[in-house]
Each structure stands twice: as structure tokens, then as C-alpha cells.
Amino acid sequence: MTEPQLKEKFLEDVKTFAYETIYIKANLFEEQESMPKSFIDELGERGYLGVNISKEYGGSGYDPLTYGRFIEEIGKACCATRTLVTVHCSLVGEALMRWGDESQKEKYLRDMVKGKRIGAFALSEPEVGSNASGIQTSYQKSGDNFIINGTKKWISFAGIADFYIVIAQNNGKATAFIVDSNTDGITVSPIKGMLAGRATHIAQIEFNNVEVSKEGILGKEEMGFNYVVNTALDHGRYCVAWSGVGLAQAALEEIVKYSRKRTQFEQKISKFQYIQGMIADATTDIHAARALCTKAGELRAINNPDSVIETTIAKYFSSKIAMKASIDAVQV
């Protein structure tokens, strides 16, 4: 097979697995407020936790556009599974790929691809959200090591993560640290009973005099915001942009399927002009969002600097149309 054919076969396999396996488990995950380790292991075995990671470290090394189409299919089937990929592969994986030294890449990326190590991105805090310039979690130097104190909150998959990329500041300058979750001084408190995202193992992480060696710095000291955070969030936005397309597509398909079954006033509601208008609007919006995401992916593949703004535009638009399509689906 040629490379394009292999990509298409991969995406067809993803589509089948997403529909036949992930989709039917999504509600159960939410009800149980948990994503089973066996399921994560299966994702690793299928290569789904390293689609965007370089082949040098055991990943598939697919281009951004293929990765985006992969995200669309996963996001269409299950938001929690898509969130795992966003955090694990885009936020953490891409940050390590871009800024990690060779020893950090060897230690973490190979296990991440297989699902043996789950990574989480610890940026958000109770008082400042994800505003990296205002974080309160701090670090102090102690010889050749660093001592971290503070609290991170709303951290997806922190409840089961094996390590975190932690953003902490010293005198207002942020540094990114790789911190194993079993390090002394770390307390993880799961956040339960949420309206949505229950299967994403969201948790609060408290750091009480947590000691990290200088080998734990990701990138360079005091460059955590300009380099690591910006890189991670840019890749995260790209992932969320495609997931919006997937979510909107899923909502549209539910509208069509239900409207063809539901009878009112002695005819299927799919015959009503208002319902047809909803379907037409959603179809048009999805095509537009997918085009924006495709353009962003093509620019990312050639490292065009305009890819950053194009990714932001795509994420903004796809998020809005995903919300609208979902609301319309509920109304129908």
C-alpha cells in the first residue's frame, strides 16, 4: 500500500472501532465516572495514544491532518476518550516532543504511546483558571533541586495520571516541571458528580513541599509560559477544533435519525420545514468547520506560522457550531 492508502485504512479502522466499541461504552463510562484501565490499555495497543508521536519513540508519526481526522472520529464517539487523547497526546505529548531532552523523551514517550504511563497537564488553578501568567503555584530553589507548593484544579485525568507537567512560578516567571504522581507531598482529590466529563478523572492536585530535581525541568527554567504552555495549548486547540467537528457531526446524525422515526400530525417530523432548516444549517456549519480545521492542519504540516491563528479560528468556530448542533438535537 502507498502511504496515503495506509492512512485511509488507518482512519477506516478508527471509524469502525469508534462506532462499534467506543460509542457503546461512552454512557457507561459517564455513569461509572471512570474510564477503565483495560480500555486505556486497548487504546495503547491499537496505537491510538501515539498517533501524533514520532516513530522514533514508538508512535505512528502521522501528519497533523491525519491526526485531526482521527480526533474527529474519536470525538464523535465519546467526549471522555477524546479528552484523554487531547491531554495525553496533544498537551503532554507534543510538549515533550518539542521541549523534552533525549532522556525525558526516552523515559516518558515510549510508555505513553503504549498507555503504560498516562500524562496530565497541570496548569489550571482554583483562583486563576488557566491564566498561566497569574498562577499562584510556586517553586523555590533548594541546592540543585526545586521545591513546589500550590494547588492545581480541574486537571483532566489527574486522578489516574502517572506524571504531570506542572507549571509553577518563581517571582512571576513560570517554569514547567515533569513530576511523577507518586512523588512525596502530592495529594490528589478526585472531583465527582459533575454535569459532564465524569469519565475524565478530573481532580485537584495539592503540592506540599514537593521536591523535583533539575532533570525534571521541561525546556528551560523561567521559559515555561512562552515555550511549554504556548506549545501545549496550541496543540490542544487544534485537537479541540477537530473534536468540535466530531461532536457536531454526531448531533446532526442524531437529528436525522430521530426525525425520520418520530411521527407528529400524521407525518414524520423530517418532513417539517423547520426541522429541515436545522439539518441544512448543521450540515453547512459542519462543512465549514471541517474546512477550517483542514486548512489549519495543512499549514501545521509545513510549519507555517499562520497555523497558530488558523487553529484558533477553527477552534472558535467549531466549538460554536458544536454547541448549536447539540442544542438543536435536544430540541428535536
Side-chain angles (χ1 to χ4, degrees):
M1 284 188 181
T2 63
E3 186 175 347
Q5 289 174 327
L6 287 172
K7 290 178 182 178
E8 289 303 320
K9 184 181 184 305
F10 166 73
L11 291 170
E12 281 299 319
D13 290 343
V14 170
K15 185 175 183 178
T16 300
F17 182 76
Y19 180 75
E20 295 181 353
T21 301
I22 300 177
Y23 176 74
I24 62 176
K25 293 181 178 181
N27 282 341
L28 181 62
F29 291 167
E30 289 294 301
E31 290 170 3
Q32 295 180 341
E33 299 194 47
S34 176
M35 184 175 291
K37 180 65 166 63
S38 59
F39 175 72
I40 296 175
D41 289 341
E42 185 174 8
L43 295 178
E45 290 169 3
R46 299 184 70 89
Y48 294 174
L49 297 180
V51 175
N52 59 326
I53 303 301
S54 169
K55 292 181 180 179
E56 182 181 356
Y57 301 103
S60 301
Y62 281 123
D63 60 278
L65 189 54
T66 303
Y67 180 57
R69 293 175 63 192
F70 160 76
I71 291 296
E72 179 183 347
E73 295 298 339
I74 297 297
K76 181 180 171 183
C78 174
C79 286
T81 305
R82 191 277 307 162
T83 300
L84 172 64
V85 176
T86 299
V87 172
H88 184 76
C89 300
S90 291
L91 293 177
V92 177
E94 293 285 0
L96 280 166
M97 281 289 298
R98 180 66 179 85
W99 300 110
D101 59 35
E102 197 57 36
S103 63
Q104 291 169 338
K105 292 177 182 179
E106 285 290 343
K107 180 178 179 180
Y108 293 101
L109 286 175
R110 293 188 184 279
D111 284 347
M112 286 178 66
V113 168
K114 298 175 183 177
K116 292 182 177 180
R117 288 182 194 255
I118 300 301
F121 196 79
L123 172 62
S124 299
E125 296 185 358
E127 302 299 326
V128 298
S130 57
N131 174 20
S133 62
I135 58 173
Q136 298 173 2
T137 297
S138 64
Y139 72 91
Q140 300 291 330
K141 291 185 179 180
S142 178
D144 288 336
N145 295 335
F146 301 86
I147 307 298
I148 300 176
N149 284 283
T151 301
K152 299 294 184 178
K153 195 172 184 180
W154 313 115
I155 309 303
S156 297
F157 287 94
I160 61 171
D162 298 289
F163 72 98
Y164 321 112
I165 292 179
V166 181
I167 311 301
Q169 59 84 20
N170 181 288
N171 293 322
K173 295 182 178 180
T175 298
F177 296 92
I178 305 173
V179 184
D180 289 340
S181 60
N182 60 0
T183 305
D184 290 342
I186 291 178
T187 302
V188 179
S189 304
I191 301 174
K192 298 289 188 178
M194 296 185 297
L195 181 63
R198 295 184 176 188
T200 58
H201 294 275
I202 291 180
Q204 175 173 292
I205 315 171
E206 295 179 48
F207 299 88
N208 184 15
N209 294 323
V210 174
E211 188 169 0
V212 183
S213 70
K214 61 182 180 181
E215 286 75 24
I217 292 179
L218 180 59
K220 296 182 179 180
E221 188 179 355
E222 299 184 351
M223 296 294 182
F225 179 72
N226 291 333
Y227 291 86
V228 179
V229 172
N230 281 343
T231 295
L233 295 186
D234 174 53
H235 285 282
R237 291 186 194 101
Y238 181 68
C239 193
V240 172
W242 277 103
S243 72
V245 177
L247 183 57
Q249 184 68 49
L252 171 60
E253 291 177 10
E254 290 298 321
I255 291 173
V256 172
K257 182 170 63 176
Y258 184 80
S259 67
R260 287 174 176 172
K261 294 190 301 182
R262 169 72 169 169
T263 299
Q264 191 74 333
F265 303 110
E266 299 182 350
Q267 62 177 323
K268 302 299 182 184
I269 65 172
S270 60
K271 302 294 184 180
F272 295 169
Q273 187 175 17
Y274 183 67
I275 301 299
Q276 291 174 348
M278 282 183 170
I279 293 171
D281 286 345
T283 301
T284 303
D285 286 342
I286 291 166
H287 274 264
R290 190 176 286 117
L292 286 171
C293 288
T294 298
K295 181 180 180 182
E298 291 171 345
L299 291 176
R300 296 174 80 85
I302 59 174
N303 295 315
N304 188 310
D306 288 344
S307 66
V308 176
I309 187 62
E310 292 295 338
T311 295
T312 302
I313 292 170
K315 186 238 181 186
Y316 171 73
F317 186 77
S318 71
S319 298
K320 289 188 69 174
I321 66 109
M323 174 67 80
K324 183 178 184 300
S326 298
I327 291 173
D328 286 348
V330 171
Q331 296 307 311
V332 172

